[in-house]
Amino acid sequence: RQVTMSEPEKDVEYLTKVYRDACTSVGKEPITRFIQFLNLINTEIEPSMDGYKLDLSGNSPELKDKRLDQEDAIALSRELSEDFLINELNLAYNNLESTGAIALGKALQDNKFLEILDITMCDVDVKGTESICTGLQMNDSLQKLVLRGNKIGRQGGILLSATLQVNSTLKDLNIADTDQTNESLIALTTVLLDNSSIKRLDVSNPLLNSEQEETAIHFSKMISVNYGLTELHLCKHGMKDFGASQLAESMKGNKTLLFLNLGCNKIGEDGARAFADLLKCNTPLTKLALTSNRIGNNGLVAISEAIATRNCTLTHLWINNNNITETGLCALAAGMRSNIALSNIYLWGNNLANTACNAFEQLMEGNKPRILQEKH
């Protein structure tokens, strides 16, 4: 069946029947919110060639007391196999488990319209991940996959890495909090040496069993040659000054990375100095997040000097919770006086003494960049 957005009534009638029949076959009542969504397409939602967004997240007010289970996912997946209206599906915080994820993977083999799938915290395991990977190898529409919070572990990460050798459509992959290991992250970085399709990657909070910062070294090697990645999140990697310095050095030749998030690591003064040297090179980097590290006053002074004299590309800087006092903060305010690019800084969790507050107040009065003190 082809997309016929000019006849939404017929499309909805057909898909509603497919879904109701699937619910009957698994012995489940249709999801009221989904039926309402289909009805709204007929009456209130304007047809669009971009498709429609369906939010069935388990933490929504409508579903928080009746989260979707495996049978719900099976019925929904049978509809998705033929669906040509929904291009964004949010199933986060439901009880899909392995069976539900397997059904979704099978649907991905046939679906040619879905672009975004979010299954955050759905108790998906390795078997479910394997099915999704099989689906991705045959799918050429999905561009964003969020698996955050599912304990797919080392094997799941390796399966995804192998899939990226075949799939060239996926652009955004979030596997934060999924118990990735040294081995699975090394496999992923190895694939990304050649894969330029992935633009955004979040692998925060892995389970690393070494203090040698091997993963930082491998990510550094990947960044030095990868020409597709624009956003990288490496929070809670236990990264220290050595790993941070390796990353900063490798980024000097990178032409695409715009946002690097290294929050909640163990980066100190020397790591901050390495990033100060990077900023002097005016790479494409526009956002640098160093939230909850240990850069201190000396680290921020080094970054401030780079901002004041050499950098004209950085627009966002997160330095909240870094044990910084008025010495470092005043240096940053002074550096921003001669910088026209930096417009957003995040300062909360540091010692904002009166001297520092006055320095930023004067900066703002002089029509300099906006100062934000909010959480990233």
Side-chain angles (χ1 to χ4, degrees):
R1 187 175 173 88
Q2 301 296 315
V3 178
T4 55
M5 294 303 239
S6 61
E7 298 181 291
E9 294 85 1
K10 293 182 180 179
D11 294 338
V12 170
E13 181 181 352
Y14 171 74
L15 293 176
T16 301
K17 183 180 184 305
V18 170
Y19 175 61
R20 287 188 179 278
D21 289 346
C23 287
T24 300
S25 69
V26 297
K28 292 288 292 188
E29 288 293 321
I31 303 169
T32 302
R33 185 174 174 84
F34 185 34
I35 296 297
Q36 291 173 340
F37 167 82
L38 291 173
N39 290 336
L40 285 176
I41 291 178
N42 269 336
T43 59
E44 296 183 21
I45 304 177
E46 292 295 325
S48 165
M49 288 307 296
D50 293 332
Y52 302 93
K53 176 181 178 179
L54 174 58
D55 186 355
L56 294 176
S57 54
N59 61 349
S60 62
E62 296 85 352
L63 292 175
K64 65 180 181 179
D65 295 324
K66 192 179 180 182
R67 299 175 192 263
L68 308 187
D69 59 20
Q70 301 176 59
E71 286 75 21
D72 290 315
I74 292 172
L76 185 61
S77 296
R78 291 181 184 175
E79 189 279 339
L80 283 174
S81 294
E82 301 194 45
D83 188 276
F84 40 80
L85 296 174
I86 300 169
N87 74 330
E88 182 173 349
L89 178 60
N90 185 355
L91 296 175
Y93 304 104
N94 284 297
N95 302 317
L96 306 186
E97 301 182 8
S98 177
T99 303
I102 290 173
L104 285 172
K106 292 178 180 178
L108 286 176
Q109 296 182 32
D110 299 317
N111 185 287
K112 305 300 180 185
F113 203 65
L114 191 67
E115 296 180 354
I116 299 174
L117 176 61
D118 187 342
I119 49 175
T120 297
M121 297 288 291
C122 285
D123 292 325
V124 176
D125 61 8
V126 174
K127 289 184 179 179
T129 305
E130 184 176 13
S131 178
I132 289 173
C133 287
T134 300
L136 285 175
Q137 292 176 18
M138 303 174 65
N139 181 283
D140 59 2
S141 67
L142 197 70
Q143 298 181 27
K144 179 177 181 179
L145 175 62
V146 184
L147 282 164
R148 187 183 192 105
N150 295 290
K151 304 308 179 182
I152 65 175
R154 170 185 175 275
Q155 189 175 349
I158 290 176
L159 285 169
L160 285 165
S161 298
T163 299
L164 292 180
Q165 292 180 301
V166 179
N167 181 289
S168 59
T169 306
L170 198 66
K171 295 181 172 62
D172 188 332
L173 178 61
N174 187 329
I175 52 172
D177 303 301
T178 58
D179 290 352
Q180 295 309 298
T181 65
N182 295 64
E183 293 83 358
S184 60
L185 290 180
I186 290 172
L188 181 59
T189 56
T190 301
V191 171
L192 291 178
L193 292 173
D194 298 313
N195 180 303
S196 60
S197 300
I198 293 292
K199 306 302 180 185
R200 183 186 185 277
L201 178 65
D202 191 338
V203 289
S204 297
N205 197 25
L207 288 180
L208 303 181
N209 54 13
S210 172
E211 294 290 326
Q212 302 304 312
E213 302 187 80
E214 293 99 329
T215 55
I217 295 173
H218 283 274
F219 273 102
S220 299
K221 292 179 179 177
M222 180 271 292
I223 288 174
S224 67
V225 299
N226 180 283
Y227 57 92
L229 203 62
T230 61
E231 185 172 328
L232 178 61
H233 297 259
L234 299 175
C235 299
K236 298 183 179 180
H237 272 239
M239 191 181 301
K240 303 174 185 176
D241 286 338
F242 175 75
S245 299
Q246 291 287 309
L247 276 174
E249 184 64 28
S250 69
M251 287 177 62
K252 290 180 180 179
N254 183 281
K255 304 299 182 184
T256 59
L257 195 64
L258 303 176
F259 183 10
L260 178 63
N261 186 357
L262 298 176
C264 300
N265 279 293
K266 302 176 182 179
I267 301 170
E269 175 184 333
D270 290 340
R273 290 185 183 278
F275 279 107
D277 290 339
L278 171 67
L279 293 175
K280 294 175 183 178
C281 296
N282 275 310
T283 66
L285 189 70
T286 59
K287 298 179 180 180
L288 176 61
L290 296 172
T291 300
S292 298
N293 277 282
R294 307 169 179 177
I295 70 171
N297 286 325
N298 291 337
L300 184 56
V301 168
I303 290 175
S304 301
E305 290 174 352
I307 289 171
T309 59
R310 301 284 291 277
N311 183 271
C312 60
T313 56
L314 194 71
T315 60
H316 292 66
L317 176 64
W318 286 263
I319 52 170
N320 33 309
N321 280 330
N322 264 282
N323 195 31
I324 301 169
T325 66
E326 58 187 295
T327 300
L329 295 172
C330 287
L332 178 61
M336 292 179 66
R337 290 188 176 279
S338 57
N339 181 287
I340 61 174
L342 187 58
S343 59
N344 295 265
I345 58 174
Y346 300 76
L347 304 174
W348 61 273
N350 292 301
N351 185 5
L352 286 165
N354 288 337
T355 306
C357 292
N358 291 336
F360 284 114
E361 183 178 8
Q362 294 172 12
L363 184 66
M364 295 172 70
E365 289 175 351
N367 294 320
K368 290 297 180 182
R370 294 177 289 120
I371 311 299
L372 302 183
Q373 297 185 38
E374 53 191 69
K375 190 174 182 179
H376 175 252

